[in-house]
Amino acid sequence: MSAKPEYVTKRVQTFGKRKSSTATATVTKAPQCDIRVNTIPISLVQPVALRTKLLEPLYVVGTDKFSRLKIKVTVRGGGPVSQTYAARQAIAKGLVAYHQKYRNEATKSAIKDAYLSFDKRLLIADPRRPEPKKWGRHSARSRFTKSYR
């Protein structure tokens, strides 16, 4: 009896955040490039302005770095714009993590430098959060109008 050879799938999982949106990207090795956001191919994402934002990580480092990678992005929470920014951050961080784990350090640092010089929000999350509402007020800062009569 011969034992079956065990195949190790090269896989990295990263996340991106923006406001209340959280995106999880799974980067795996594949025969050809396939990028999907919530099971929708990246070429079919609407509107076009958000699609170009999603494609920025590809254009910055070149499509040859994505040639044999399958990227599956799942986004939850928030609106369409914050979901797009969270997804693009997850894609960029996933590519950097994949090159760090399975390729050499030189290409990883070159990709990271390219992303940081283009837009640091591709790798670093935005820490701003909404200010909580205070009691006795309409919202966080606005007050009720004071009446003198």
Side-chain angles (χ1 to χ4, degrees):
M1 266 198 272
S2 64
K4 285 186 178 178
E6 291 187 26
Y7 296 104
V8 179
T9 55
K10 294 182 175 182
R11 188 171 90 181
V12 171
Q13 193 169 21
T14 57
F15 68 94
K17 283 185 156 187
R18 175 74 171 107
K19 289 183 167 182
S20 60
S21 299
T22 305
T24 308
T26 306
V27 182
T28 56
K29 188 176 179 182
Q32 64 183 9
C33 180
D34 182 28
I35 302 173
R36 292 177 178 264
V37 179
N38 289 346
T39 68
I40 298 170
I42 201 166
S43 59
L44 298 178
V45 173
Q46 292 292 334
V48 178
L50 295 182
R51 185 187 320 150
T52 52
K53 275 293 180 190
L54 270 176
L55 291 170
E56 276 181 359
L58 280 75
Y59 295 146
V60 170
V61 295
T63 54
D64 60 317
K65 301 280 193 280
F66 288 88
S67 62
R68 296 198 177 258
L69 295 178
K70 178 182 176 184
I71 302 174
K72 181 184 157 202
V73 183
T74 306
V75 191
R76 297 277 182 258
V81 175
S82 66
Q83 282 188 352
T84 302
Y85 277 84
R88 79 195 268 263
Q89 186 182 56
I91 291 169
K93 287 169 77 174
L95 182 70
V96 170
Y98 185 85
H99 276 267
Q100 181 178 6
K101 191 170 184 180
Y102 298 113
R103 306 245 170 98
N104 58 6
E105 189 71 25
T107 57
K108 175 244 158 182
S109 59
I111 292 169
K112 192 172 181 180
D113 291 340
Y115 282 150
L116 288 174
S117 65
F118 179 74
D119 182 12
K120 76 173 194 174
R121 294 287 169 230
L122 281 168
L123 296 178
I124 302 167
D126 194 351
R128 296 177 293 174
R129 295 291 175 259
E131 189 175 342
K133 182 191 175 298
K134 314 298 189 296
W135 56 272
R137 297 182 179 183
H138 288 296
S139 62
R141 297 287 175 103
S142 69
R143 295 174 171 85
F144 291 107
T145 309
K146 185 174 179 183
S147 174
Y148 288 98
R149 292 180 189 238

